[in-house]
Amino acid sequence: MPRLPFDPSQASGPPPDPPPARRERKRLAGVTDAAQLTVTQVADLIKDTLEQRLPSPLRVVGEVSNFSGRHHWYFSLKDETSVLSCVAWASSARRFGFVTGDGDEVVARGHVSHYAPQGRTQFYVDAL
């Protein structure tokens, strides 16, 4: 029997949280459009822009792939055309009540941020 397409309206899970209060935007002193920036300054700009411009929390529907994790979970969510790198810290993963795996279709709730030490933009999952 072929698998039915995923219907997010049929998914159960925690209700969406109200949006948190906006964080005050950090300004980089003396930065202009033509300024020469350090890698750290650019990484800070990426992180601040993502965290301030994207709503939080987000609910993302996708198929789990490349799952890896004992404590912290590292995986990707994908659909027909795109892939989103994800991480669920051990404290969050313990609350999920199940262990996911490659091929599972899920609704993940969390926020997007940028991890500067590895140059990675990823989705931080707090509910699945």
Side-chain angles (χ1 to χ4, degrees):
M1 173 180 207
R3 188 160 87 177
L4 296 173
F6 182 66
D7 182 359
S9 67
Q10 300 296 315
S12 61
D17 291 337
R22 286 253 189 228
R23 287 188 274 229
E24 176 127 352
R25 184 175 186 161
K26 290 192 297 188
R27 300 265 180 205
L28 292 173
V31 173
T32 64
D33 289 341
Q36 187 171 322
L37 304 175
T38 66
V39 172
T40 298
Q41 288 174 314
V42 172
D44 286 346
L45 284 170
I46 292 168
K47 181 180 175 87
D48 291 347
T49 301
L50 288 170
E51 291 179 354
Q52 291 173 20
R53 303 271 177 157
L54 291 175
S56 181
L58 290 172
R59 291 173 64 104
V60 179
V61 177
E63 180 182 331
V64 174
S65 66
N66 302 317
F67 179 81
S68 166
R70 283 200 165 135
H71 303 290
H72 304 309
W73 293 3
Y74 299 93
F75 57 98
S76 297
L77 287 178
K78 66 180 184 175
D79 60 18
E80 297 81 26
T81 59
S82 299
V83 176
L84 181 63
S85 295
C86 301
V87 61
W89 301 128
S91 57
S92 295
R94 280 192 298 272
R95 291 192 307 265
F96 297 166
F98 66 97
V99 176
T100 191
D102 289 354
D104 289 348
E105 293 181 88
V106 299
V107 178
R109 184 187 72 197
H111 70 280
V112 176
S113 190
H114 183 74
Y115 183 59
Q118 292 181 354
R120 291 182 58 112
T121 298
Q122 53 194 5
F123 188 61
Y124 292 81
V125 178
D126 60 36
L128 195 62

